[in-house]
């Protein structure tokens, strides 16, 4: 199956898939090696990793697309790419969807924030009007359908951040219209309690995604409860980035004191990056041994 077909199959299962989010090719590779069924390229983490800057709309479409390509080249599990606001008007949204599909993403997230967008759990975010939000999703769905006619496939994850500025009712109404327009997965960002999460899932059709930011506004609930609430995917956008940054800071501080903290064994490091596979394959060719 293609990555999109695999994702479609996963969404039909009666479970809530734990989805650690990646930020580059190596983090995606580790997620796949540990047996996770899918991943998401976190805009927050990718911006931090690629340009060392906050997720405030600073990464360009070309930079994001290049990051998607690197990740899909490194792993075969389905990748959901963060398409932000689509990088412009409805026609830009269509181009963004087409670009992500060509790069190998199984799905793309399009949101209703006002550009430049912000991380969903940080202050200052605002959303566009209903009409503009609906146009973005309509354009994304139209491009998805046009791609299918060309034997290319991608799913649309439609996100609303309206809870922050206009309340949960507005967010649910927007998401319901996203579903009517043909979105494949719905994402109401930052509900603030388990009750709000349940209201989201009972009010909306189809697969829903929860976004769990440690220390963020949405409760960090056990996966069994998320499944009971009605979520199909639980995304953890910052867990790996935070763990990697903490490990690097700890190591840097220890090295300053001439200490060597525990770290991954060199043989395991080489194997996970792919040295062993490379040598096994290159052994078939004489010239590669020189």
């Amino acid at each position: 199956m293609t990555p999109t077909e695999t994702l479609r199959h996963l969404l039909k299962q009666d479970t809530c898939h734990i989805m650690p989010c990646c930020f580059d090719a190596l983090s995606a590779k580790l997620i796949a090696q540990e047996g996770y069924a899918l991943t998401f390229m976190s805009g927050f983490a990718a911006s931090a990793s690629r340009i060392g800057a906050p997720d405030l709309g600073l990464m360009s479409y070309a930079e994001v697309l290049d990051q998607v390509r690197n990740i899909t080249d490194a792993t075969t599990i389905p990748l959901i790419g963060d398409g932000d606001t689509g990088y412009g008007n409805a026609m830009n949204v269509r181009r963004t969807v087409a670009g992500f599909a060509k790069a190998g993403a199984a799905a793309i997230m399009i949101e209703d924030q006002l550009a430049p967008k912000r991380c969903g759990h940080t202050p200052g975010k605002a959303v566009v009007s209903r009409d503009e939000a609906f146009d973005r999703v309509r354009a994304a769905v139209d491009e998805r359908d046009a791609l299918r006619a060309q034997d290319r496939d991608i799913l649309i994850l439609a996100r609303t951040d309206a809870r922050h500025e206009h309340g949960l009712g507005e967010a649910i109404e927007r998401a319901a219209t996203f579903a009517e327009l043909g979105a494949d997965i719905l994402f109401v960002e930052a509900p603030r309690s388990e009750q709000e999460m349940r209201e989201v899932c009972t009010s909306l059709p189809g697969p829903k995604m929860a976004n769990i930011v440690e220390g963020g506004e949405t409760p960090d609930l056990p996966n069994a409860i998320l499944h009971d609430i009605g979520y199909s995917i639980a995304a953890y956008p910052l867990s790996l980035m935070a763990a990697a940054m903490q490990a690097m800071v700890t190591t840097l501080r220890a090295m300053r004191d001439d200490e060597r903290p525990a770290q991954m064994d060199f043989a395991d490091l080489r194997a996970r990056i792919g040295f062993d596979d490379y040598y096994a394959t290159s052994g078939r060719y004489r010239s590669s041994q020189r």
Side-chain angles (χ1 to χ4, degrees):
M1 293 191 291
T2 67
T4 304
E5 290 170 340
T6 300
L7 178 57
R8 193 177 282 111
H9 173 73
L10 292 171
L11 292 172
K12 293 178 180 177
Q13 296 176 353
D14 183 20
T15 189
C16 179
H17 295 280
I18 297 174
M19 184 173 70
C21 296
C22 62
F23 46 89
D24 61 8
L26 180 58
S27 57
K29 199 167 188 175
L30 293 174
I31 290 167
Q33 288 173 355
E34 288 301 311
Y36 290 94
L38 73 169
T39 188
F40 182 104
M41 191 190 82
S42 162
F44 185 115
S47 182
S49 172
R50 185 178 177 104
I51 64 173
D55 182 25
L56 296 172
L58 298 173
M59 277 181 73
S60 69
Y61 166 68
E63 289 172 316
V64 172
L65 190 62
D66 184 60
Q67 202 81 344
V68 170
R69 288 194 197 98
N70 289 340
I71 292 167
T72 56
D73 283 347
T75 182
T76 59
I77 63 173
L79 170 72
I80 302 175
D82 187 351
D84 287 340
T85 62
Y87 302 96
N89 63 18
M91 296 306 294
N92 291 92
V93 171
R94 293 195 63 151
R95 179 171 183 258
T96 299
V97 172
F100 274 51
K102 188 175 182 180
I108 180 173
M109 183 177 76
I110 297 294
E111 62 190 64
D112 64 355
Q113 276 200 49
L114 188 69
K117 60 81 48 113
R118 297 171 181 268
C119 167
H121 292 255
T122 56
K125 67 176 182 177
V127 294
V128 297
S129 69
R130 282 189 173 195
D131 285 346
E132 186 170 351
F134 299 156
D135 274 349
R136 287 180 185 175
V137 174
R138 186 179 292 109
V141 168
D142 286 346
E143 187 61 31
R144 177 202 65 192
D145 293 346
L147 290 168
R148 286 178 180 171
Q150 305 168 29
D151 291 326
R152 291 161 63 187
D153 203 6
I154 193 167
L155 300 185
I156 305 302
L157 167 60
R159 162 179 166 171
T160 177
D161 286 76
R163 166 67 183 89
H164 175 78
E165 191 178 12
H166 301 288
L168 187 66
E170 172 67 12
I172 289 174
E173 287 188 28
R174 287 187 179 217
T177 302
F178 294 165
E180 292 172 5
L181 292 171
D184 301 288
I185 312 167
L186 300 178
F187 172 20
V188 173
E189 173 66 305
R192 298 177 183 175
S193 66
E194 181 178 336
Q195 179 56 41
E196 287 196 1
M197 297 168 81
R198 290 188 180 276
E199 188 173 346
V200 166
C201 288
T202 56
S203 301
L204 297 172
K208 274 82 63 177
M209 187 181 88
N211 191 40
I212 310 299
V213 177
E214 294 86 350
E217 295 182 336
T218 299
D220 186 356
L221 301 173
N223 188 257
I225 294 179
L226 293 174
H227 176 226
D228 177 69
I229 289 172
Y231 287 106
S232 297
I233 302 172
Y236 294 84
L238 302 183
S239 301
L240 293 190
M241 168 63 72
M245 289 179 67
Q246 181 61 65
M248 287 190 282
V249 169
T250 298
T251 299
L252 289 167
R253 290 175 177 172
M255 290 175 68
R256 190 165 50 212
D257 297 327
D258 203 24
E259 297 173 0
R260 300 294 182 269
Q263 58 188 21
M264 184 176 289
D265 177 80
F266 185 44
D268 192 17
L269 187 76
R270 296 196 313 269
R272 285 182 176 273
I273 292 172
F275 280 86
D276 294 352
D277 291 340
Y278 177 92
Y279 292 136
T281 303
S282 68
R284 298 167 53 195
Y285 311 105
R286 287 181 178 271
S287 61
S288 297
Q289 305 307 306
R290 295 173 185 169

